[in-house]
Amino acid sequence: NAGVTQTPKFRVLKTGQSMTLLCAQDMNHEYMYWYRQDPGMGLRLIHYSVGEGTTAKGEVPDGYNVSRLKKQNFLLGLESAAPSQTSVYFCASRNSGTEAFFGQGTRLTVV
Amino acid sequence: GEDVEQSLFLSVREGDSSVINCTYTDSSSTYLYWYKQEPGAGLQLLTYIFSNMDMKQDQRLTVLLNKKDKHLSLRIADTQTGDSAIYFCAEILSYNTDKLIFGTGTRLQVFP
């Protein structure tokens, strides 16, 4: 039982490049989330999904897109990376009424 | 707004008690959580409390909930160096139970 798995774990991008972060969960959870963590700002919600085929905006959605084509996967896309998107990204999943389980994080640097 | 506030740093001596405070936003939040993040790792659930409770104790951890003031605290008894980490409180909003909102995190440093 792997729980929540994020790939890749580290990535360096040049400004303007694109990439996709993958989150996979094997717990049959309905809800999935993408957060970014920056020093002194805690975890900020980027986008989330309440089920396969659904997505919704969080607190800081600009510059990011997401897709949930399969229940177990939640993809976070950066179409044109900017230095302000340098951060640690965390994926989480849960069911209604339960706690969230987190992946180990993806450290992204945009130069 | 949906800001969950915590103080950024706390430093305690090994063996003392630590108290980490959190002010949340939704007085009707049903679930409130405490997560721990060790360096370079993801977040792990420490404990949680339902809104119909005022206190919950779990070994060295005591959670106190003051719904009137929207204040949540986590007390760690006999704090150890292994407790050094960042602690996050989180709430599920009653008016949008899909959203899990986190605080800014409190970095706890335990010194000998």
Side-chain angles (χ1 to χ4, degrees):
Chain A
N1 189 342
V4 180
T5 303
Q6 291 181 232
T7 53
K9 290 186 171 47
F10 303 93
R11 186 72 186 268
V12 179
L13 283 180
K14 293 183 179 178
T15 298
Q17 284 185 317
S18 64
M19 78 162 295
T20 301
L21 281 68
L22 171 64
C23 177
Q25 53 96 1
D26 60 4
M27 297 172 283
N28 202 33
H29 285 167
E30 291 294 331
Y31 301 162
M32 295 187 75
Y33 304 85
W34 276 108
Y35 294 89
R36 59 177 289 173
Q37 183 179 20
D38 302 291
M41 303 189 77
L43 288 171
R44 292 183 292 170
L45 182 62
I46 304 172
H47 286 281
Y48 64 102
S49 168
V50 301
E52 181 178 317
T54 75
T55 63
K57 293 181 179 179
E59 303 169 76
V60 289
D62 294 342
Y64 304 95
N65 57 74
V66 287
S67 65
R68 184 105 180 263
L69 299 179
K70 293 183 180 180
K71 186 177 183 179
Q72 62 268 34
N73 295 336
F74 195 30
L75 279 63
L76 177 72
L78 286 73
E79 289 187 351
S80 179
S84 61
Q85 294 177 304
T86 293
S87 188
V88 181
Y89 292 85
F90 285 100
C91 174
S93 70
R94 60 183 275 261
N95 277 332
S96 178
T98 69
E99 74 272 21
F101 293 82
F102 280 80
Q104 290 301 297
T106 296
R107 186 173 295 274
L108 176 65
T109 303
V110 183
V111 297
Chain B
E2 297 177 349
D3 291 334
V4 178
E5 297 182 352
Q6 301 178 237
S7 53
L8 289 181
F9 297 103
L10 178 64
S11 184
V12 300
R13 189 179 298 276
E14 191 174 19
D16 287 351
S17 292
S18 308
V19 179
I20 302 170
N21 295 304
C22 169
T23 302
Y24 59 97
T25 62
D26 179 10
S27 59
S28 298
S29 285
T30 52
Y31 300 94
L32 294 143
Y33 301 94
W34 282 105
Y35 281 83
K36 177 182 181 183
Q37 184 185 33
E38 297 186 353
L43 279 71
Q44 290 189 306
L45 180 70
L46 265 184
T47 187
Y48 63 93
I49 188 167
F50 292 120
S51 59
N52 62 354
M53 301 167 67
D54 296 326
M55 185 183 83
K56 179 179 180 181
Q57 189 151 1
D58 185 359
Q59 299 183 337
R60 293 191 296 124
L61 305 178
T62 303
V63 179
L64 295 178
L65 176 60
N66 180 333
K67 289 185 285 291
K68 174 176 171 290
D69 295 335
K70 293 184 283 187
H71 186 262
L72 182 72
S73 68
L74 173 70
R75 178 177 181 270
I76 305 173
D78 187 25
T79 311
Q80 302 298 307
T81 54
D83 294 324
S84 294
I86 302 176
Y87 292 81
F88 291 93
C89 64
E91 63 174 337
I92 293 180
L93 303 175
S94 63
Y95 52 87
N96 183 348
T97 56
D98 303 335
K99 276 189 170 181
L100 182 57
I101 304 296
F102 282 82
T104 49
T106 299
R107 184 180 294 275
L108 174 65
Q109 182 177 4
V110 182
F111 58 93

